[in-house]
């Protein structure tokens, strides 16, 4: 017995050319389509959207100069100026249409005024309304020497172009000028046959000059805003970089301080058993544990903090400065011409090396700022050893008048570095000008009390 498989019906074939490969559009076609898309976006999409002109700020220089009763009207200066020009176009249109009767004259004047006022709320719609009003005015006109813009319509449309260009973007101004040129040429060809003169050329020249001036102003303002934003960002990045550099410097110094102490602990723990005759095994084991922990901590410290060292950074041969080296620093600045006095209150005692190093650097930076910004002024350094911490006060007087040496502008990062040092030690700092014209820096660095010291 033979089994026959039924034949499957053939699927319908697609029409010829249905699956032809996609052919990309030519650059010219893409350019035209992009231009039409931008035209639709600028002048057709949301053309009647409500976009009221915001009032001006009362903090502008011109507004601040106005007397009190007039200052409250300063935010509406532009609105009143646009309305005044619209009224002027109305009066011009009414004067030109007096021969056609008061009704036609008043109607023409109101039609001229409407698009000018509309620019304050719906700018793109005002442009299209101005074209419609221009056509209505040309149809109603009996004059043969002005076509298609009568004098009132001419002024009205020019004002509309200017206000809309100010309120939109330069690309929109270019589209409006092109449409105005097309509208003028089309009106002359279709409806202006037999007219002796037309003012299309005058409109295009005048509007081109106005729109060019507005466009240049907008481009310049955008460039200034861009430069201001870039300068602000650059200043912010410079401040952050300075802060990171100062933190890196502090981390390096802390690395040196802590590594030195941990190395001393490891060496003393290794040598301690040899200073005791017949030490017990428990003591030897304890010292071995201390040394191993110190070496492990030192290794971890170098692994974590050592990454902040640059390749060309060299560990200083001399120990880091402390408050004991402050007299040498004062002698150095005195040789540079700064008359500085030093005062110490409280019981002088040895503080943690990180605190003494930060205090030394703060005094050094404050005196450097005095030399830079107030040359010739005197300074005073006050150090107070108090319970729970260390107080610093560096104050300088105003520079003498006339000064023999001009102030040297700095980068403004000295105060930032001092604040960073104080914040890393959980301290407090104030820096502000004095009432006498000088500058004062006050710092408090907390220090935990010890059994031998503060109690």
């Amino acid at each position: 017995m033979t089994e026959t498989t039924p034949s499957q019906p053939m699927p319908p074939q697609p029409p010829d050319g249905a699956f032809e490969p996609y052919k990309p559009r030519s650059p010219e076609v893409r350019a035209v389509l992009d231009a039409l898309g931008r035209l639709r976006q600028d002048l057709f999409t949301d053309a009647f959207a409500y976009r009221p002109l915001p009032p001006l700020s009362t903090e502008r220089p011109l507004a601040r100069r106005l007397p009190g009763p007039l200052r409250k009207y300063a935010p509406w200066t532009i609105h009143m100026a646009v309305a005044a020009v619209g009224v002027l176009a109305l009066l011009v249109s009414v004067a030109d249409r007096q021969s056609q009767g008061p009704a036609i004259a008043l109607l023409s004047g109101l039609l001229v005024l409407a698009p000018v006022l509309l620019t304050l709320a719906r700018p793109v719609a005002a442009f299209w309304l101005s074209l419609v009003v221009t056509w209505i005015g040309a149809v109603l006109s009996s004059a043969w020497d002005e076509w298609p813009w009568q004098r009132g319509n001419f002024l009205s449309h020019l004002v509309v172009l200017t206000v809309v260009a100010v309120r939109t973007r330069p690309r929109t101004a270019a589209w409006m000028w092109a449409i105005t040129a097309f509208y003028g040429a089309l009106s002359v060809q279709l409806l202006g046959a037999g007219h002796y003169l037309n003012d299309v050329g005058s409109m295009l020249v005048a509007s081109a000059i106005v729109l060019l001036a507005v466009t240049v102003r907008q481009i310049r303002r955008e460039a200034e805003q861009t430069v201001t934003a870039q300068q602000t960002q650059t200043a912010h990045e410079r401040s952050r970089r300075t802060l990171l550099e100062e933190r890196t410097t502090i981390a390096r110094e802390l690395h040196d301080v802590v590594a030195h102490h941990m190395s001393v602990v490891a060496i003393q723990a290794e040598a301690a058993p040899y200073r005791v005759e017949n030490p017990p095994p428990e003591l030897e084991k304890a010292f071995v544990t201390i040394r191993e922990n110190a070496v492990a901590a030192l290794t971890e410290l170098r692994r974590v903090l050592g990454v902040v060292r640059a390749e060309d950074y060299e560990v200083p041969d001399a120990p880091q400065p402390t408050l004991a080296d402050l007299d040498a620093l004062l002698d150095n600045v005195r040789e540079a011409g700064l008359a500085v006095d030093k005062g110490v209150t409280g019981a002088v005692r040895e503080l943690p090396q990180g605190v003494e190093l930060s205090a030394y650097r703060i005094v050094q930076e404050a005196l450097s700022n005095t030399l830079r910004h107030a040359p010739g002024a005197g300074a005073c350094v006050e150090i107070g050893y108090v319970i729970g911490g260390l107080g610093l006060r560096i104050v300088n007087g105003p520079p003498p008048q006339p000064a023999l040496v001009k102030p040297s502008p700095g980068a403004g990062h000295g105060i930032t570095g001092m604040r960073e040092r104080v914040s890393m030690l959980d301290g407090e700092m104030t820096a502000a000008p004095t009432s006498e014209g000088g500058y004062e820096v006050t710092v408090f660095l907390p220090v935990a009390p010890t059994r031998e010291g503060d109690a």
Side-chain angles (χ1 to χ4, degrees), residues 358-408:
S358 295
Y360 180 90
R361 296 299 189 197
I362 290 171
V363 174
Q364 184 182 38
E365 182 62 36
L367 295 179
S368 298
N369 288 341
T370 302
L371 285 171
R372 184 181 303 112
H373 300 290
C380 179
V381 177
E382 298 178 3
I383 304 174
Y385 291 86
V386 298
I387 298 177
L390 176 70
L392 298 174
R393 181 175 179 268
I394 306 97
V395 59
N396 64 268
Q401 297 293 339
L404 299 178
V405 181
K406 294 183 179 180
S408 175

Side-chain angles (χ1 to χ4, degrees), residues 101-363:
I104 297 296
L106 181 60
L107 176 62
S108 301
L110 294 177
L111 290 177
V112 166
L113 177 63
V116 176
L117 297 180
L118 191 60
T119 57
L120 302 177
R122 306 179 191 274
V124 178
F127 168 73
W128 294 114
L129 179 61
S130 179
L131 293 180
V132 174
V133 168
T134 299
W135 182 81
I136 295 176
V139 172
L140 296 178
S141 176
S142 59
W144 294 87
D145 57 345
E146 295 177 346
W147 182 268
W149 282 280
Q150 308 301 312
R151 291 195 302 171
N153 296 99
F154 189 99
L155 179 59
S156 173
H157 190 68
L158 193 61
V159 173
V160 169
L161 289 178
T162 304
V163 177
V164 177
V166 170
R167 299 199 57 195
T168 57
R169 62 182 70 180
R171 189 178 69 190
T172 305
W175 283 122
M176 291 190 302
W177 186 88
I179 293 176
T180 299
F182 176 77
Y183 170 82
L186 185 64
S187 299
V188 171
Q189 292 297 325
L190 296 182
L191 303 176
H195 289 221
Y196 299 113
L197 296 174
N198 67 78
D199 52 4
V200 175
S202 302
M203 170 59 73
L204 295 183
V205 172
S207 59
I209 295 174
V210 173
L211 295 181
L212 181 61
V214 172
T215 302
V216 170
R217 175 182 175 274
Q218 287 186 332
I219 293 176
R220 180 180 177 181
R221 184 175 59 182
E222 292 176 359
E224 291 177 350
Q225 293 175 351
T226 302
V227 170
T228 302
Q230 291 178 350
Q231 289 177 347
T232 303
Q233 183 178 2
T234 301
H236 179 67
E237 293 296 332
R238 187 184 298 114
S239 178
R240 290 185 57 189
R241 184 171 62 250
T242 303
L243 189 61
L244 293 176
E245 291 175 355
E246 188 64 28
R247 288 182 176 179
T248 302
T249 302
I250 296 173
R252 290 170 177 171
E253 293 173 348
L254 289 178
H255 176 272
D256 297 336
V257 171
V258 178
H260 168 72
H261 287 294
M262 295 302 297
S263 300
V264 172
V265 170
I267 294 174
Q268 290 179 346
E270 184 178 7
Y274 298 99
R275 298 186 178 184
V276 180
E277 185 177 357
N278 299 323
E282 294 80 4
L283 182 61
E284 291 184 353
K285 184 177 180 181
F287 279 117
V288 170
T289 303
I290 293 174
R291 181 182 180 281
E292 290 177 351
N293 290 334
V295 172
L298 184 60
T299 302
E300 185 68 16
L301 176 68
R302 286 172 176 169
R303 184 184 68 83
V304 176
L305 295 180
V307 297
V308 301
R309 294 187 182 276
E311 295 181 358
D312 57 348
Y313 177 76
E314 298 180 358
V315 179
D317 297 332
Q320 295 295 332
T322 63
L323 290 177
D325 304 311
L326 194 58
D327 291 334
L329 173 65
L330 298 182
D331 293 338
N332 188 17
V333 296
R334 289 189 185 106
E335 292 179 359
L338 176 63
V340 56
D341 297 328
K342 174 188 172 184
V344 180
T345 59
V348 179
R349 64 186 185 278
E350 184 178 357
L351 301 174
Q353 189 169 357
V355 174
E356 295 217 2
L357 174 61
S358 295
Y360 180 90
R361 296 299 189 197
I362 290 171
V363 174

